[in-house]
């Protein structure tokens, strides 16, 4: 894409009401627009990143047998009366009546609806396991809508729900989901710590995927030697203690929960009278798990861990960057135009700064867009033999002949 055509109006000043690095960066770099507290619109660059995050998650969920569906935001309150959550979750629910007096709500999560779909189709253990997921906008009247896009009132979640006839089958699926999560967060270049968290009524633990950073809302205790990691909310250790699983020492840190996996057992299926016929002919409550990832929260966490505020510079991880390469020409010339056409033909996602503005302005904006690879064509680079190629992730920089640029990208 030519930058002269891109919807990008970057700002020099930090927005006055930005409460976090992620919001301040994403707004200044024109990735998102703040509508009100906890509500952000995605602009072309932000939406590109979000779609890439979603595609990676989609690949990994499909790999473990998830099937994508799309449920609804608008839901009847009666459905939520079945689990009692129309009352117990009232603090975060956006509830209202329509003009006919029908009680409705905007879904903050989708256990109720997915079980309603399940029970109207699935009657036998032979159809299990079943795993359904979606990318859907959630609405939560979060009392603490802060930390920019880390905690929204309206946000996209990937939520998956799995259904099983036996505990054994559930456990084996839960382990698959755990591995898929660890793998997909790596693809976002997020180093997640698998953290034990409160598990509710039936199972001992749920698991959170925590990214350690001082801006995280959660307090985490982890071992300096083994993988033992636990959320403060259920911790039986404190900083400096001996690890419960090895002879290591416990360290305290803060983390952002980018995702979680949760054994639900039969909690909601019992409440919603959802059974299947099992082998011996009797009816059994269906066992469930749920698996969430906050999409904007994942993007904001990448910003928190990859944006250098001192240098005003972002470098997006390769797999989720808005463009793979930023082609910057510092003067009008045919060679760069040709290079751009070649990239387009090869299907390389390139952003080409073809504008007639100063080199300083181009570089400042390129640092904000944060493409992981950069190619600069200047009179100086041409006289040294071609274009200046920089891999911003590895730091490698070299002059490449104009004819060799596309290959160096491969
Ligand atoms: P938290 O403890 O941070 O409020 P949660 O326990 O409410 O999260 P779930 O309801 O299980 O989380 O949601 C699944 C995932 O959705 C979370 O792991 C997180 O990544 C994301 N998420 C939850 N609430 C928000 C929010 N208000 N804004 C953005 N993402 C969110
Ligand atoms: Mg919450």
């Amino acid at each position: 894409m030519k930058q002269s055509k891109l919807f990008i109006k970057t700002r020099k000043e930090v927005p006055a009401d930005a409460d976090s690095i992620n919001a301040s960066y994403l707004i200044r770099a024109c990735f998102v627009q703040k509508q009100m507290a906890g509500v952000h619109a995605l602009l072309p660059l932000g939406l590109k990143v979000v779609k890439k995050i979603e595609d990676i998650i989609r690949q990994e969920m499909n790999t473990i047998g998830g099937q994508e569906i799309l449920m609804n935001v608008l839901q009847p309150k009666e459905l939520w009366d079945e689990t009692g959550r129309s009352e117990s979750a009232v603090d975060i629910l956006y509830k209202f009546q329509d003009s006919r007096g029908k009680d409705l709500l905007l879904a903050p999560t989708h256990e109720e609806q997915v079980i309603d779909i399940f029970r109207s189709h699935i009657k036998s253990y032979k159809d299990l396991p079943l795993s359904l997921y979606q990318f859907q906008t959630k609405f939560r009247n979060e009392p603490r809508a802060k930390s920019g896009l880390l905690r929204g009132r309206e946000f996209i979640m990937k939520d998956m729900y799995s259904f099983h006839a036996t505990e054994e089958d559930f456990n084996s699926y839960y382990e698959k989901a755990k591995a898929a999560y660890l793998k997909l967060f790596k693809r976002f270049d997020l180093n997640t710590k698998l953290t034990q968290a409160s598990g509710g009524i039936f199972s001992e633990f749920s698991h959170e995927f925590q990214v350690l950073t001082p801006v995280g809302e959660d307090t985490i205790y982890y071992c300096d030697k083994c993988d033992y990691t636990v959320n403060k909310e259920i911790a039986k250790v404190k900083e400096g203690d001996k690890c419960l699983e090895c002879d290591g020492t416990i360290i305290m840190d803060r983390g952002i929960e980018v995702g979680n996996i949760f054994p639900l057992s039969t909690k909601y299926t019992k409440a919603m009278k959802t059974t299947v016929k099992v082998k011996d002919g009797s009816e059994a409550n269906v066992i469930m798990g749920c698996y969430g990832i906050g999409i904007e929260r994942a993007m904001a966490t990448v910003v928190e861990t990859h944006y250098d505020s001192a240098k005003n510079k972002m470098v997006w991880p390769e797999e989720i960057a808005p463009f793979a390469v930023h082609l910057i020409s510092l003067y009008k010339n045919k060679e760069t135009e040709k290079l751009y056409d070649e990239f387009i033909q090869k299907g390389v996602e390139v952003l080409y700064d073809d504008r007639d503005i100063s080199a300083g302005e181009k570089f400042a904006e390129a640092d904000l867009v944060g493409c992981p690879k950069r190619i600069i064509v200047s009179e100086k680079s041409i006289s040294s033999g071609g274009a200046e190629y920089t891999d911003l992730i590895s730091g490698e920089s070299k002059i490449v002949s104009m004819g060799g640029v596309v290959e160096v990208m491969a």
Side-chain angles (χ1 to χ4, degrees):
M1 162 140 219
K2 291 194 172 168
Q3 207 162 334
S4 56
K5 302 279 187 314
L6 177 68
F7 178 23
I8 179 168
K9 297 284 172 209
T10 57
R11 303 183 196 179
K12 285 203 178 67
E13 346 63 66
V14 175
D17 60 346
D19 52 4
S20 59
I21 289 189
N22 73 80
S24 132
Y25 162 74
L26 289 166
I27 293 168
R28 279 198 312 118
C30 205
F31 280 57
V32 309
Q33 164 127 349
K34 181 171 176 179
Q35 197 55 45
M36 58 184 198
V39 179
H40 293 87
L42 297 168
L43 302 180
L45 290 169
L47 188 60
K48 269 178 175 294
V49 174
V50 156
K51 290 291 170 200
K52 291 189 170 185
I53 289 176
E54 289 183 353
D55 278 345
I56 290 172
I57 298 174
R58 182 174 286 116
Q59 284 167 21
E60 301 298 340
M61 294 304 102
N62 290 347
T63 300
I64 59 166
Q67 298 182 55
E68 188 169 354
I69 59 173
L70 185 57
M71 292 184 273
N72 303 103
V73 171
L74 194 59
Q75 302 201 354
K77 178 179 162 288
E78 300 100 80
L79 193 57
W80 288 69
D81 291 338
E82 288 190 51
T83 57
R85 288 210 283 187
S86 45
E87 290 311 319
S88 65
V90 74
D91 289 351
I92 58 142
L93 281 181
Y94 286 106
K95 287 204 288 186
F96 57 98
Q97 281 187 342
D98 71 6
S99 56
R100 276 163 252 123
K102 186 170 173 58
D103 288 314
L104 298 170
L105 57 84
L106 303 180
T109 179
H110 281 79
E111 283 83 3
E112 281 78 357
Q113 190 179 9
V114 80
I115 293 173
D116 194 43
I117 291 170
F118 177 93
R119 70 183 171 188
S120 65
H121 295 275
I122 306 293
K123 308 289 175 200
S124 161
Y125 76 96
K126 289 181 185 156
D127 289 326
L128 299 184
L130 179 67
S131 183
L132 301 173
Y133 73 92
Q134 65 172 347
F135 295 92
Q136 175 63 283
T137 303
K138 310 291 187 206
F139 291 83
R140 293 184 181 180
N141 190 3
E142 294 277 4
R144 305 170 289 164
K146 55 164 198 174
S147 316
L149 281 84
L150 291 173
R151 184 170 295 284
R153 294 201 161 98
E154 175 183 331
F155 61 95
I156 307 165
M157 194 198 286
K158 185 286 297 180
D159 42 332
M160 181 163 82
Y161 305 90
S162 70
F163 299 89
H164 309 268
T166 65
E167 277 298 338
E168 202 186 3
D169 188 51
F170 165 74
N171 287 333
S172 114
Y173 195 76
Y174 191 76
E175 290 309 314
K176 275 191 207 162
K178 200 185 270 178
Y181 267 46
L182 290 170
K183 183 167 166 220
L184 70 87
F185 287 126
K186 276 215 181 84
R187 295 179 66 183
F188 307 160
D189 198 32
L190 287 179
N191 203 350
T192 51
K193 270 198 165 298
L194 180 67
T195 306
Q196 296 173 2
S198 61
I201 312 155
F202 295 95
S203 56
E204 199 184 355
F205 299 126
S206 69
H207 290 92
E208 296 171 344
F209 295 78
Q210 293 275 356
V211 175
L212 299 184
T213 146
V215 302
E217 279 183 19
D218 292 5
T219 302
I220 305 303
Y221 293 111
Y222 67 95
C223 174
D224 65 355
K225 252 191 170 171
C226 72
D227 287 337
Y228 180 75
T229 310
V230 60
N231 193 308
K232 186 184 177 189
E233 60 178 3
I234 59 157
K236 293 191 180 77
V237 289
K238 57 181 191 315
E239 189 161 38
D241 279 1
K242 210 168 150 49
C243 175
L244 300 183
E245 290 177 0
C246 75
D247 62 353
T249 306
I250 296 296
I251 295 173
M252 184 180 81
D253 208 336
R254 301 193 71 81
I256 300 172
E257 176 200 318
V258 281
N260 63 15
I261 56 176
F262 216 98
L264 294 174
S265 189
T266 54
K267 181 176 176 177
Y268 297 116
T269 50
K270 255 192 193 145
M272 293 182 68
K273 300 185 178 56
T274 302
T275 59
V276 287
K277 203 179 265 317
V278 290
K279 262 190 185 138
D280 66 8
S282 66
E283 291 287 327
N285 282 116
V286 177
I287 295 162
M288 278 182 79
C290 71
Y291 315 82
I293 298 175
I295 305 301
E296 292 97 333
R297 186 180 289 189
M299 170 167 77
T301 306
V302 172
V303 173
E304 293 286 349
T305 51
H306 291 72
Y307 174 65
D308 182 337
S309 17
K311 291 190 184 146
N312 230 333
K313 191 169 176 159
M314 177 68 188
V315 181
W316 286 97
E318 219 156 320
E319 286 213 61
I320 62 169
F323 292 93
V325 55
H326 208 150
L327 174 62
I328 301 172
S329 154
L330 298 186
Y331 70 110
K332 267 242 162 322
N333 63 81
K334 285 216 175 70
E335 291 90 332
T336 315
E337 289 284 333
K338 226 181 99 195
L339 201 53
Y340 173 67
D341 291 341
E342 234 179 295
F343 273 133
I344 296 292
Q345 265 168 29
K346 288 255 155 69
V348 175
E349 290 180 294
V350 57
L351 179 62
Y352 168 32
D353 196 343
D354 57 333
R355 299 169 304 169
D356 197 10
I357 55 172
S358 76
E361 284 173 280
K362 288 191 179 191
F363 291 143
E365 201 155 284
D367 283 350
L368 279 181
V369 175
C371 298
K373 288 180 175 148
R374 192 178 289 181
I375 291 159
I376 301 165
V377 183
S378 62
E379 275 154 332
K380 190 170 140 235
S381 78
I382 292 285
S383 69
S384 325
E388 185 188 336
Y389 163 87
T390 309
D391 179 331
L392 289 141
I393 295 175
S394 70
E396 182 201 7
S397 191
K398 59 184 174 192
I399 296 287
V400 182
S401 72
M402 290 303 272
V405 170
V406 174
E407 267 138 68
V408 103
M409 284 289 303

